[in-house]
Amino acid sequence: MAHDDNGPRSASAIPPAGGEAVPLELLRTPPPGERADAARNRAAVLEAAARLFAEHGVEAVSMDQVAAAAGVGKGTLFRRFGDKAGLGVALLDARERKLQEAILRGPAPLGPGGTADGGAGEPADRAAPAERLAAFVDAYLDYLLEHLDLVRMSETASRGARYRVGAYRFWHRHTAILLAAAGAADPEHDAHALLAALAAEHVAALLPELGEERIRAGAVALAVRLAR
């Protein structure tokens, strides 16, 4: 579901592994471009899926049930979304884009903050990299815990599925930028290490034993340690 020395304030980024800089904005998943009838069908499918998943749980709902509730053919559903994991990714897309927008343009410490004069100058409320990283972890856990089963399904649909989606590349680039600004020796590696603690399968496994509060506190503390 990722530029400057303190997170994404502009269109530049630290070069990944010595390559060219990747604009964080370009790592966002763009809203789908489609005809009006296709857009209506997509909206109907996503609304039906969200309702059924909320009522019965993600694992208990079949693609046949979603197609019937949305009033579309099963073939149309599979052609559009591939499988239930693809449907889950589409459902999560709007939530992810909302968080990404807050990271790119929202108030500090999650976002870069505004400027004293409302222009393009230095942010008046600029936060340190460690603060921004902690805020990201906290906000990401809000998103993850609200949609845990759905995120878990999308991340474990196939081997390495989590790392192939654009959202993960965005989270990794943003995290690596902040770690680089904090002086980390290997921000690319450390960003993956931090995001591993936020994997849905990992969080779901620890939740019954540790509880949400300890998971959140531990992940934020890890982010701050990596950024020091």
Side-chain angles (χ1 to χ4, degrees):
M1 144 302 218
H3 280 47
D4 57 33
D5 64 346
N6 195 42
R9 286 195 294 125
S10 67
S12 61
I14 60 171
E20 293 185 0
V22 179
L24 190 61
E25 182 69 46
L26 295 184
L27 295 181
R28 301 180 72 190
T29 302
E34 52 197 351
R35 302 188 315 271
D37 57 339
R40 285 194 296 272
N41 283 342
R42 176 185 174 85
V45 167
L46 295 180
E47 181 181 352
R51 183 177 70 254
L52 290 172
F53 288 160
E55 291 175 354
H56 307 292
V58 174
E59 292 186 3
V61 176
S62 69
M63 292 288 273
D64 286 357
Q65 290 172 306
V66 174
V72 303
K74 186 170 68 173
T76 298
L77 183 63
F78 277 97
R79 282 193 301 273
R80 184 61 185 269
F81 298 99
D83 54 19
K84 194 161 70 169
L87 180 57
V89 169
L91 266 174
L92 293 170
D93 180 61
R95 283 80 165 177
E96 290 168 343
R97 281 190 276 117
K98 182 178 180 181
L99 178 53
Q100 290 167 357
E101 182 67 19
I103 288 169
L104 285 167
R105 284 177 274 275
L110 179 59
T115 59
D117 58 1
E122 195 72 8
D125 55 351
R126 185 176 185 179
E131 292 179 272
R132 292 202 63 192
L133 198 58
F136 163 69
V137 168
D138 201 39
Y140 185 84
L141 281 170
D142 285 342
Y143 152 76
L144 176 63
L145 290 166
E146 184 178 355
H147 310 289
L148 186 58
D149 288 344
L150 206 53
V151 178
R152 185 182 183 187
M153 178 183 69
S154 70
E155 290 184 352
T156 60
S158 61
R159 179 176 294 182
R162 180 183 191 225
Y163 305 95
R164 291 194 294 270
V165 298
Y168 182 85
R169 293 172 57 223
F170 183 100
W171 311 135
H172 178 265
R173 177 58 42 211
H174 174 61
T175 303
I177 290 165
L178 295 177
L179 288 168
D186 191 346
E188 297 280 320
H189 171 274
D190 289 351
H192 284 303
L194 178 58
L195 291 173
L198 302 178
E201 184 78 354
H202 176 74
V203 171
L206 295 186
L207 200 55
E209 177 184 350
L210 300 182
E212 178 182 333
E213 186 175 343
R214 286 181 67 189
I215 289 174
R216 187 183 296 272
V220 170
L222 175 60
V224 173
R225 284 199 302 273
L226 288 170
R228 283 179 177 167

